[in-house]
């Protein structure tokens, strides 16, 4: 049996941990039978953190302690992998009480292996949300009866960018989906919503300058918000839309938090520091981005060497110069594109020549994410 078989492990890895390490941790959990959970729920078996001090007051940590879920260090994962089995978490607890301490206070706690085995026997609860009955609220909100949601303190639990280019019309259909979680305040419950923006990238509202429609759907629980997000994702990736996943769309797409976050992630890869108030949001992007990279690349991103990334960047620099030269540099684009794909192998056998600024920006995003 795999070390994490039956476990649902939530991660809280802050921006001090390199992106490649975060991707490696996620892959180790999945490859050893576990499930990586984006939100802490009662089904979560462990919360793994890399910064115990920051985790003391985080939303995920508070929820884990509330439900008796052990908050452990990365050493817990390493030791489980070394021994090839799921270990008791007590020696690795960094926030909250150990099972022994809970027992001494009168609370009986089952072992994590027992909990994992028990969870396997239980049927996964299903959301009872009827998407046809979930009201769609235009955003920004102008209706005074709009559900209350703190626009200044929500967390992005998941997000995805989707698009499809129509060669005939020369237009790009797109969708951006996000799960927003507002941590509970005091005794109040956490708040959940799905934020979406969709339409055509090349078309803006003449009055507002906004691309496409921006909407919110409010639900009551983590289970419901994941279900709503999944249903919308299925809607946009199925016929007749048939959108596919991409790493980035436009600086004008997404919620204010996501726009700010993506701008900071892009600039930080160029050597500029991430602003402190934005750093905590970076912790939510790597989860979604790593999933996108696994679909794009032919090899795991943590196996791409630094020298390969340097070669890829050099190829993109040559492509940028060729594009600036116009027709004079066009004949070199194929050769430089091949150099890029040789350094960073892609999953698709037929990779397009990088012959426009849109493709160039997408490939630059990939390098930034891998770094």
């Amino acid at each position: 049996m795999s070390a994490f078989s039956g476990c649902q492990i939530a991660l809280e890895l802050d921006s001090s941990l390199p992106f490649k390490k975060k991707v490696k941790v996620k892959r180790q959990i999945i490859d050893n039978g576990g499930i990586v959970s984006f939100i802490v729920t009662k089904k979560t078996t462990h919360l793994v953190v890399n910064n115990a001090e920051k985790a003391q007051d985080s939303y995920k940590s508070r929820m884990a302690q509330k439900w008796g879920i052990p908050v452990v260090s990365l050493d817990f994962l390493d030791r489980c992998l070394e021994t090839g089995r799921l270990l008791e978490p007590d020696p690795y607890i960094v926030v909250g009480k150990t099972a022994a301490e809970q027992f001494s206070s009168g609370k009986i706690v089952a072992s994590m292996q027992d909990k994992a085995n028990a969870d396997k026997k239980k049927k996964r609860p299903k959301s009872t949300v009827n998407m046809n009955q979930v009201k769609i609220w235009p955003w920004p909100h102008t209706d005074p009866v709009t559900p209350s949601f703190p626009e200044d303190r929500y967390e992005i639990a998941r997000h995805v960018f989707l698009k499809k280019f129509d060669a005939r019309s020369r237009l790009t259909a797109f969708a951006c989906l996000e799960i927003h979680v507002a941590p509970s305040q005091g005794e109040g419950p956490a708040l959940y919503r799905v934020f979406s923006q969709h339409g055509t990238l090349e078309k803006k509202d003449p009055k507002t300058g906004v691309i496409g429609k921006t909407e919110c759907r409010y639900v009551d629980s983590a289970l419901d918000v994941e279900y709503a997000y999944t249903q919308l994702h299925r809607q946009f990736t199925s016929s007749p839309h048939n959108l596919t996943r991409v790493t980035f769309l436009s600086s004008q797409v997404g919620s204010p938090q996501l726009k700010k976050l993506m701008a900071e992630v892009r600039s930080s890869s160029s050597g500029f520091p991430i602003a402190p108030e934005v750093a905590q949001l970076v912790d939510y992007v790597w989860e979604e981005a790593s999933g996108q990279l696994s679909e794009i690349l032919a090899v795991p991103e943590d196996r791409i060497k630094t020298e390969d990334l340097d070669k890829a960047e050099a190829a993109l620099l040559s492509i940028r110069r060729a594009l600036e030269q116009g027709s004079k540099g066009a004949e070199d684009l194929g050769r430089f594109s091949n150099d890029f794909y040789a350094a960073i192998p892609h999953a698709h056998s037929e990779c397009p020549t990088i012959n426009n600024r849109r493709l160039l920006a997408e490939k630059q995003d990939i390098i930034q994410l891998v770094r």
Side-chain angles (χ1 to χ4, degrees):
M1 184 173 65
S2 300
F4 304 125
S5 180
C7 295
Q8 292 191 24
I9 301 174
L11 301 174
E12 186 164 76
L13 309 177
D14 70 12
S15 51
S16 66
L17 193 70
F19 178 80
K20 281 191 175 184
K21 175 63 175 176
K22 294 177 180 179
V23 173
K24 182 179 179 181
V25 169
K26 179 181 177 184
R27 178 172 292 110
Q28 287 176 329
I29 293 171
I30 295 172
D31 289 349
N32 286 275
I35 296 173
V36 175
S37 175
F38 292 95
I39 301 174
V40 175
T41 70
K42 292 181 180 179
K43 301 288 289 182
T44 304
T45 57
H46 306 78
L47 172 61
V48 178
V49 304
N50 74 307
N51 189 321
E53 184 176 351
K54 285 186 178 180
Q56 293 287 340
D57 300 316
S58 72
Y59 167 68
K60 286 185 179 180
S61 179
R62 292 200 307 272
M63 291 299 99
Q65 292 178 74
K66 176 181 177 180
W67 290 322
I69 298 165
V71 183
V72 296
S73 66
L74 284 169
D75 290 340
F76 170 74
L77 297 181
D78 293 336
R79 288 294 297 145
C80 288
L81 292 173
E82 288 175 10
T83 59
R85 61 188 180 88
L86 184 65
L87 302 174
E88 288 299 321
D90 277 16
Y92 310 95
I93 296 285
V94 292
V95 177
K97 295 181 178 181
T98 66
E101 291 170 335
Q102 293 183 54
F103 185 84
S104 65
S105 65
K107 184 175 181 180
I108 300 176
V109 180
S111 71
M112 286 300 106
Q113 185 65 64
D114 290 341
K115 184 175 180 181
N117 290 336
D119 284 342
K120 277 197 238 178
K121 298 176 183 178
K122 295 179 183 178
K123 291 184 178 180
R124 179 177 174 82
K126 294 183 179 180
S127 171
T128 57
V129 166
N130 183 335
M131 292 296 290
N132 295 324
Q133 295 179 357
V134 176
K135 184 168 182 176
I136 302 172
W137 299 85
W139 192 94
H141 301 313
T142 56
D143 192 327
V145 298
T146 301
S148 176
F149 199 89
E151 297 295 341
D152 59 341
R153 62 171 185 84
Y154 62 83
E155 300 174 351
I156 301 173
R158 294 190 70 177
H159 84 276
V160 65
F161 294 122
L162 305 166
K163 77 172 185 180
K164 179 184 178 183
F165 178 70
D166 188 318
R168 290 185 179 181
S169 66
R170 308 297 296 176
L171 296 176
T172 307
F174 81 94
C176 170
L177 304 176
E178 305 173 34
I179 290 180
H180 293 175
V181 181
S184 59
Q185 294 289 292
E187 296 301 318
L191 303 176
Y192 304 90
R193 75 180 180 190
V194 177
F195 180 99
S196 64
Q197 185 175 353
H198 59 93
T200 303
L201 279 180
E202 294 81 2
K203 294 182 178 180
K204 294 183 179 180
D205 186 301
K207 294 182 179 180
T208 64
V210 175
I211 299 174
K213 290 183 178 180
T214 308
E215 304 163 335
C216 288
R217 293 167 172 81
Y218 295 86
V219 293
D220 296 329
S221 68
L223 186 64
D224 290 343
V225 79
E226 289 219 50
Y227 177 80
Y229 177 91
T230 301
Q231 292 303 305
L232 288 174
H233 186 280
R234 183 173 295 142
Q235 173 185 320
F236 284 113
T237 55
S238 302
S239 181
H241 303 289
N242 296 319
L243 305 187
T244 57
R245 212 166 166 178
V246 293
T247 57
F248 184 70
L249 282 171
S250 164
S251 59
Q252 300 181 62
V253 172
S255 67
Q257 295 273 39
L258 186 58
K259 288 177 184 176
K260 189 175 183 180
L261 168 62
M262 296 306 293
E264 293 291 344
V265 170
R266 288 162 69 87
S267 67
S268 70
S269 298
S270 301
F272 297 98
I274 293 180
E277 66 271 17
V278 176
Q280 83 173 79
L281 282 180
V282 177
D283 306 338
Y284 297 91
V285 166
W286 75 269
E287 298 167 321
E288 198 65 44
S290 62
Q292 294 174 16
L293 285 176
S294 66
E295 295 179 3
I296 295 170
L297 303 180
V299 296
E301 52 268 33
D302 55 354
R303 295 181 187 173
I304 297 177
K305 299 178 180 179
T306 302
E307 51 263 39
D308 292 328
L309 292 174
D310 292 339
K311 291 177 183 177
E313 285 188 327
L316 292 185
L317 179 59
S318 298
I319 290 172
R320 182 185 292 110
R321 290 170 177 167
L323 289 173
E324 291 172 352
Q325 294 174 3
S327 58
K328 292 182 180 180
E331 60 184 20
D332 293 323
L333 292 175
R335 176 164 56 86
F336 294 143
S337 295
N338 290 337
D339 291 342
F340 173 81
Y341 292 123
I344 303 182
H346 281 41
H348 298 290
S349 56
E350 296 183 7
C351 297
T353 298
I354 306 170
N355 56 9
N356 58 62
R357 295 186 182 279
R358 177 181 59 81
L359 272 175
L360 179 64
E362 287 182 6
K363 302 311 179 186
Q364 289 172 328
D365 288 338
I366 289 174
I367 291 178
Q368 292 170 2
L369 288 171
V370 172
R371 281 199 186 278

